[in-house]
Amino acid sequence: MSLLPPTGSLIPVDAPFSAAQESWLAGFIAGIAAAGKKAAPAAPTTTVDVLFGTQTGNAEFLADELVAGARARGLGGRATALDAVSPEQLAAMSHVLVVTSTYGEGEMPDNAGLFWEALQATTVPRLEGLQYAVLGLGDTSYDEFCQAGKLIDTRLEQLGATRIHDRVDCDVDFEDPAALWTAGVLDRLAAEAGATAAPGATTGGGAGVAAGASDGAGASRASRPGSQWNKRNPYPSTLVENRLLSSPRSAKEIRHYEFDLGDSGIAYTAGDALAVVPTNDPVFVEQLLEQVGANGSETLDGRAVAEVLRTDREIRTPSKDLVADLVQRAPTSELAAVVSHGDKHELDRWLWGRDVLDLLRGAGEAAPGLDELLPNLRPLQARQYSISSSPLAHPDRIHLTIASVRYGDPHRMHAGVASTFLADRVDPDGTVDVYLQPNAAFGVPADDSAPMIMIGPGTGVAPFRGFLHERAASGASGRNWLFFGDQHRATDFVYEDELTELQDQGVLHRLDLAFSRDQTEKVYVQTRMLEHAAELYAWLEDGGHVFVCGDASRMAKDVEAALLSVIGSQRGRGADDAQAYLADMRRGKRYVRDVY
């Protein structure tokens, strides 16, 4: 028989709920109790402004959860992207909760960069009247773990704001620590405000952004139908199609996949991502076990180690903890020599392409055994891929466009975890665990007449295939311009027939191609942008939305530089003016990136 906890909660102590689920249930039960009271609820006296910075949608999801939790406790609540808030609006707010991810090497996510830039200005107003707390999302495999949250937390304190709850920095498994932080900070605010209103209470007047505002680009995640399928409970989808898109003669292997949604109830939007839960290659698991002198029948928490390594541990990408352990064990190794230089970029270059087995072999006899290795292996994570279909055209399926990662030599081949899992190890009509990763900021403009400029070389074309199918199915009148490229037209022009048909149908109004190795001088998508600067700027002036998808390290930076050059050359007002023009586009959600 389940016993109630001594606090009087209606949730049994042995109920099989996570911290996130318990937090939601507690607020829900409290809301029902409050709604049952005969007295009419008072209007909320405290409005909580939840400001989010997100790259893939997780921070926005948590922001929506915070708003729902605030309203369930009788507080006002509204969620707003950080870049939509000016310093003056921030100074007029009373209670602010910041939820932000960190992008790249300690950078602000795309919809928080302008906010951070403004917050550092010498003219920014003091914030003595502001109470705040910060929740950071990140990945401990990066040196600058949760750096964006740390920077904002420190800067708000420097400006005189009062921290009302300690910052929490969450790793990739953020759900439980985020739920505990959410419950703690909202319970404190509710207690201080004496809030008793029922769930759904409207937000107070307040200053700044309009109540209930989201980020101004597409539906908020909170407004979408809920789904039972998530990281902890993925949907076993049937993989109904796996076909090669690139030529067999190509240096790349790009494949088209289709997942049957069945009776899952998953409702996706063009621009969302799909998370694929992979397993490791059994052959690689055997090689790793042989290296550490194990046979795989050893057990960990009652499970065979071979199965743990296949399904639960990251064995391709070495963790920071493993690198540190191997340096200590083998101080004369090549790895230790690279680390001793203290140059992070040099270490990253050296590690690129090397996996756990490579590092263990490099440590020689000093390498750890199985028991010492396991604690230094991170949990195996799902891989997220931009969806390349539209629910208007394919409501029962989700399409992905993925390049299979393979490199090495006949003596030692390396392979991407999820890309080769899908390509090689899922039987025809086999099942794959998946869950949706919504991305409200990256989607077809709500205005059907707005021009769309899409820049996506290689597999970066994936979401734009979905965008074009969406506009074709909806009958949108807006013009569409795609910049696409790869190495060779003869072998790498994926979806050529579809794109040609979309042109013939009048859906794709312009298609500019850049195949870098079909001529002596390399040509890239940014080259084509500069060649058509006048027309590109004319589309921007007509209200065009610019979308970029693909490699973050070089392509996205080169595309942004080209875009600034186009704006600068056409306006003729200098670099600062071009930067301001692009900043206005960011604020208006007319320049959005999905980069990785």
Side-chain angles (χ1 to χ4, degrees):
M1 178 177 178
S2 298
L3 298 177
L4 295 179
T7 58
S9 169
L10 296 179
I11 303 174
V13 292
D14 58 350
F17 299 132
S18 67
Q21 291 168 326
E22 287 189 9
S23 175
W24 184 89
L25 283 170
F28 179 75
I29 293 169
I32 291 176
K37 295 180 179 179
K38 294 183 178 180
T45 58
T46 299
T47 294
V48 181
D49 282 287
V50 184
L51 311 182
F52 63 88
T54 189
Q55 198 69 32
T56 63
N58 285 329
E60 183 178 1
F61 169 74
L62 291 176
D64 289 337
E65 293 286 293
L66 274 165
V67 169
R71 292 175 177 172
R73 290 165 172 82
L75 303 167
R78 55 196 173 193
T80 312
L82 280 163
D83 273 359
V85 178
S86 69
E88 291 72 25
Q89 290 172 323
L90 181 66
M93 295 174 181
S94 60
H95 298 81
V96 167
L97 303 179
V98 176
V99 185
T100 184
S101 62
T102 296
Y103 165 69
E105 297 297 332
E107 302 166 31
M108 295 287 162
D110 274 4
N111 68 341
L114 297 175
F115 173 85
W116 175 241
E117 182 180 329
L119 206 61
Q120 296 178 86
T122 56
T123 56
V124 67
R126 297 287 297 172
L127 302 174
E128 274 83 2
L130 177 67
Q131 298 185 56
Y132 79 98
V134 175
L135 178 69
L137 305 183
D139 185 337
T140 51
S141 65
Y142 291 91
D143 288 338
E144 303 296 338
F145 172 59
C146 286
Q147 184 67 7
K150 294 173 182 176
L151 290 172
I152 292 175
D153 186 28
T154 299
R155 184 56 176 159
L156 292 177
E157 182 181 42
Q158 291 172 344
L159 292 172
T162 301
R163 186 184 295 109
I164 56 175
H165 197 286
D166 290 339
R167 187 189 73 249
V168 168
D169 299 326
C170 303
D171 202 355
V172 288
D173 291 323
F174 61 84
E175 289 85 357
D176 280 353
L180 292 172
W181 181 90
T182 295
V185 70
L186 290 180
D187 285 349
R188 174 171 177 171
L189 289 174
E192 291 179 354
T196 58
T202 57
T203 61
V209 184
S214 183
D215 64 356
S220 169
R221 292 180 59 152
S223 68
R224 299 195 190 179
S227 174
Q228 62 177 309
W229 311 109
N230 50 49
K231 181 190 295 186
R232 293 181 174 175
N233 184 38
Y235 174 66
S237 175
T238 301
L239 181 61
V240 293
E241 185 163 346
N242 170 3
R243 62 182 168 90
L244 185 66
L245 287 176
S246 53
S247 165
R249 296 179 289 109
S250 173
K252 300 181 178 182
E253 178 189 322
I254 301 177
R255 292 184 170 273
H256 174 89
Y257 299 96
E258 296 188 15
F259 297 84
D260 187 358
L261 297 179
D263 59 356
S264 67
I266 293 175
Y268 74 99
T269 298
D272 287 343
L274 187 72
V276 173
V277 182
T279 59
N280 287 309
D281 183 356
V283 175
F284 184 46
V285 171
E286 290 179 8
Q287 293 173 333
L288 191 61
L289 287 168
E290 181 181 357
Q291 174 65 32
V292 298
N295 60 28
S297 64
E298 299 86 352
T299 59
L300 177 68
D301 297 331
R303 299 175 60 206
V305 166
E307 183 65 10
V308 171
L309 291 176
R310 189 181 72 86
T311 62
D312 292 358
R313 293 293 188 272
E314 182 64 68
I315 58 177
R316 283 291 176 189
T317 305
S319 68
K320 289 171 59 179
D321 289 341
L322 179 60
V323 170
D325 182 62
L326 292 176
V327 168
Q328 185 176 14
R329 290 174 180 272
T332 60
S333 65
E334 184 180 354
L335 170 62
V338 173
V339 171
S340 68
H341 296 159
D343 186 332
K344 179 185 178 304
H345 295 292
E346 180 186 358
L347 176 61
D348 288 343
R349 285 193 296 270
W350 189 87
L351 286 173
W352 191 91
R354 287 181 165 91
D355 56 30
V356 170
L357 182 56
D358 292 324
L359 267 60
L360 293 178
R361 289 176 174 175
E365 295 182 357
L370 178 64
D371 291 342
E372 295 83 12
L373 174 64
L374 287 173
N376 288 324
L377 298 179
R378 289 168 54 81
L380 181 61
Q381 297 295 320
R383 270 53 172 180
Q384 296 180 16
Y385 298 100
S386 299
I387 293 174
S388 55
S389 55
S390 160
L392 298 184
H394 301 95
D396 301 322
R397 292 187 179 185
I398 284 180
H399 300 180
L400 298 182
T401 308
I402 301 174
S404 302
V405 178
R406 307 180 195 271
Y407 59 96
D409 55 52
H411 301 289
R412 178 79 212 284
M413 287 298 297
H414 296 70
V417 176
S419 64
T420 58
F421 163 71
L422 292 174
D424 305 338
R425 300 194 297 280
V426 180
D427 294 331
D429 291 326
T431 60
V432 178
D433 285 345
V434 300
Y435 58 91
L436 191 67
Q437 181 68 55
N439 188 352
F442 195 83
V444 176
D447 181 358
D448 283 349
S449 66
M452 259 194 339
I453 302 159
M454 300 159 285
I455 306 163
T459 55
V461 74
F464 304 137
R465 175 180 182 264
F467 283 18
L468 291 168
H469 284 186
E470 179 97 355
R471 282 206 147 177
S474 67
S477 61
R479 294 173 294 160
N480 304 301
W481 186 349
L482 173 64
F483 290 88
F484 170 75
D486 211 313
Q487 294 184 356
H488 299 284
R489 177 169 184 149
T491 58
D492 304 314
F493 192 175
V494 299
Y495 297 122
E496 179 179 6
D497 291 344
E498 283 190 29
L499 294 175
T500 300
E501 183 178 355
L502 288 166
Q503 281 186 293
D504 293 341
Q505 293 173 350
V507 176
L508 180 55
H509 299 80
R510 284 207 56 160
L511 174 61
D512 280 277
L513 303 171
F515 293 100
S516 61
R517 301 184 186 182
D518 277 350
Q519 58 284 310
T520 303
E521 184 177 351
K522 291 185 178 180
V523 174
Y524 300 103
V525 287
Q526 59 267 26
T527 311
R528 299 301 187 212
M529 292 170 64
L530 295 171
E531 289 173 353
H532 303 291
E535 187 168 0
L536 182 54
Y537 179 69
W539 279 50
L540 299 183
E541 285 290 275
D542 285 344
H545 290 238
V546 176
F547 299 92
V548 182
C549 182
D551 169 58
S553 60
R554 291 194 300 177
M555 183 278 296
K557 294 178 181 178
D558 292 341
V559 163
E560 181 160 314
L563 193 56
L564 285 168
S565 178
V566 166
I567 296 168
S569 66
Q570 297 303 302
R571 289 175 64 82
R573 302 177 189 176
D576 289 345
D577 175 78
Q579 289 281 3
Y581 188 99
L582 192 60
D584 284 341
M585 288 185 61
R586 283 189 191 273
R587 291 189 189 94
K589 306 306 174 187
R590 291 178 48 224
Y591 174 46
V592 187
R593 308 188 307 170
D594 179 11
V595 296
Y596 38 86

